[in-house]
Amino acid sequence: MSRSEELFKEAVTLMPGGVNSPVRAFGNVGENPRFIAGADGAYMTDADGNTYIDYVGSWGPMILGHNHPDVLNSVIEAAKKGLSYGAATENEVEMARLICEIVPSIEMVRMVNSGTEAVMSALRAARGFTRRNKIIKFMGCYHGHTDAMLVKAGSGVMTAGIPDSAGVPQGCTQDTLSAAYNDLESVKELFERYPEEIAAVIVEPVGANMGVVLPEEGFLAGLRALCDEYKSLLIFDEVITGFRLSLSGAQGYFGIRPDLTTFGKIIGAGMPVGAYGGRKEIMEMVAPSGSVYQAGTLSGNPVAMAAGLTQLRILRDTPGFYEDLNKKSDWFFKEMEKLLSEAGAAHCLNHIGSLGCVFFTDRKVKDYAGAKTSDTKAYGRYFKHMINNGVYLAPSQFEAMFLSAAHRKEVELERTLEVMKDYLAKNY
């Protein structure tokens, strides 16, 4: 029995399913979870000493690669001064200033501890500002595990086959309205039905929790127009796309200005952190300035702020960083597409920048319904071959691949393509 198997055997007696997050579970792909002992650059190493080319990247924030020396040094220096104060620090001000400078739509920002907390807080601020209760979300988009957002929520919920979630009272979701991603008409119908009750529309500008689903031409602009028409707020959930598609995130990439934006752990270089921000008049509704209460003892943690400041400054100050990363990513995903097509495998490969996903389906995937046509058993076979040959992918069909600056074209990317080619030759 491997060390990972030993750890998992004990873990299932101590933690639900043996994991602290469902997206780490390998049960749906017929494999044993690998317990990771360390990571560096584009690689992770498990408790048995096996090394993997990593395309999970802690679910996105490791855009520089694991253990970047400048980020690591900033964490060490900050930790020497103390791990947590529960009080204001200079780095919080520096982080707020930096985010407001980088993201044009953000005039004021509040630090929190996770993407889930950021979304929960942004929605509360939107309701407080508009004095309305209803929220429109999109099927297949995941916005954290707060009660009101666990409605056709994509990601781990799709993998587990759970339509919503047990333990969520009906009253918590009665004001959550579901629309179809890339379908403006479905949004318009909800606005027409509730013209003065919808506080906000929240959307992943690139759907990255039902695989990767790109917004079709005019979709995001159409949401902006509808929100303006009905005096509702537009919230971009950029927990995945923030500072990844471009320095100013998906909103900069697509040229759409939301009213509020949520971020996840990329602003902490992978440490537990999140943030939400937007127009000053909305954010001034948040306590202690206004009547919308939100608090967090650990918000603006000094070690996380130090790590995040270092990473964001590198992204800002490295000439051509995003051009180089996206060019490399475009090449990689095109080569994947070529291998799949030549093998005759039913597939839809969606990608944008350094985000990508292979769906094992013969349908174009542009929404939740399309993603659900994927052959998850085929994905399980593919996943098993890749991980057993040193390539670590998400153990779910409905997650993204993340490339980083540490993935080298001639080394990790070409090796990944070789492993994939071998799988396709043996199975198609």
Side-chain angles (χ1 to χ4, degrees), residues 44 60 80 84 97 102-103 111 119 123 147 186 194 197 210 227 232 249 270 272 294 297 307 316 346 358 382 409 420:
M44 293 199 301
K80 288 179 181 178
S84 180
R97 182 188 301 121
I102 289 173
V103 186
M111 300 301 151
V119 168
L123 292 175
D147 286 352
S186 69
Y194 306 104
E197 297 179 55
M210 48 179 158
C227 286
S232 297
Q294 179 266 312
T297 304
R316 181 194 62 184
V358 178
Y382 167 66
K409 179 179 176 181
M420 184 177 187

Side-chain angles (χ1 to χ4, degrees), residues 115-138:
T116 290
E117 191 178 336
V119 168
M120 175 186 72
S121 304
L123 292 175
R124 185 177 298 161
R127 284 172 163 144
F129 180 76
T130 61
R131 300 187 181 277
R132 298 174 175 182
N133 292 331
K134 296 190 184 300
I135 302 291
I136 296 176
K137 74 173 293 290
F138 294 90

Side-chain angles (χ1 to χ4, degrees), residues 56-78:
V56 173
S58 192
W59 305 98
M62 300 307 185
I63 194 169
L64 300 177
H66 292 283
N67 225 17
H68 188 283
D70 292 346
V71 175
L72 179 61
N73 185 62
S74 70
V75 169
I76 292 170
E77 292 304 312

Side-chain angles (χ1 to χ4, degrees), residues 206-218:
V206 173
N209 284 283
M210 48 179 158
V212 173
V213 179
L214 279 58
E216 294 188 328
E217 185 70 29

Side-chain angles (χ1 to χ4, degrees), residues 62-335:
M62 300 307 185
I63 194 169
L64 300 177
H66 292 283
N67 225 17
H68 188 283
D70 292 346
V71 175
L72 179 61
N73 185 62
S74 70
V75 169
I76 292 170
E77 292 304 312
K80 288 179 181 178
K81 300 174 184 178
L83 300 182
S84 180
Y85 312 136
T89 67
E90 183 175 348
N91 272 354
E92 291 178 277
V93 182
E94 290 295 318
M95 176 63 83
R97 182 188 301 121
L98 184 57
I99 291 174
C100 290
E101 287 175 359
I102 289 173
V103 186
S105 72
I106 295 183
E107 299 170 342
M108 191 172 280
V109 65
R110 169 63 64 86
M111 300 301 151
V112 290
N113 299 293
S114 69
T116 290
E117 191 178 336
V119 168
M120 175 186 72
S121 304
L123 292 175
R124 185 177 298 161
R127 284 172 163 144
F129 180 76
T130 61
R131 300 187 181 277
R132 298 174 175 182
N133 292 331
K134 296 190 184 300
I135 302 291
I136 296 176
K137 74 173 293 290
F138 294 90
M139 292 179 282
C141 286
Y142 179 71
H143 302 293
H145 60 269
T146 55
D147 286 352
M149 289 293 100
L150 282 178
V151 179
K152 294 183 171 62
S155 195
V157 179
M158 290 177 74
T159 301
I162 303 169
D164 297 294
S165 174
V168 177
Q170 185 177 353
C172 292
T173 58
Q174 66 183 6
D175 287 322
T176 303
L177 310 173
S178 294
Y181 193 83
N182 276 326
D183 184 351
L184 279 175
E185 193 59 36
S186 69
V187 183
K188 186 177 180 180
E189 288 174 1
L190 291 172
F191 270 116
E192 289 174 346
R193 193 182 309 167
Y194 306 104
E196 296 181 355
E197 297 179 55
I198 296 169
V201 174
I202 184 167
V203 65
E204 290 184 83
V206 173
N209 284 283
M210 48 179 158
V212 173
V213 179
L214 279 58
E216 294 188 328
E217 185 70 29
F219 176 62
L220 297 177
L223 294 181
R224 178 70 276 173
L226 283 169
C227 286
D228 289 343
E229 180 181 353
Y230 287 92
K231 296 181 172 55
S232 297
L233 302 185
L234 178 61
I235 304 174
F236 270 14
D237 183 342
E238 295 227 42
V239 167
I240 297 295
T241 55
F243 309 104
R244 174 164 280 279
L245 288 190
S246 73
L247 185 60
S248 52
Q251 56 196 269
Y253 188 97
F254 293 110
I256 304 294
R257 194 181 183 100
D259 299 296
L260 289 169
T261 304
T262 63
F263 297 113
K265 49 196 175 291
I266 196 167
I267 65 167
M271 297 196 72
V273 66
Y276 67 104
R279 285 162 41 197
K280 188 175 183 180
E281 61 181 324
I282 303 170
M283 293 303 295
E284 285 184 331
M285 292 291 297
V286 178
S289 296
S291 57
V292 175
Y293 193 76
Q294 179 266 312
T297 304
L298 299 176
S299 297
N301 174 271
V303 181
M305 291 296 96
L309 278 169
T310 301
Q311 172 151 291
L312 292 186
R313 285 168 176 161
I314 291 171
L315 296 177
R316 181 194 62 184
D317 299 337
T318 303
F321 177 87
Y322 288 97
E323 290 82 355
D324 293 344
L325 177 58
N326 291 344
K327 181 179 179 181
K328 174 174 62 178
S329 300
D330 286 344
W331 173 84
F332 176 66
F333 288 118
K334 285 177 182 175
E335 290 299 307

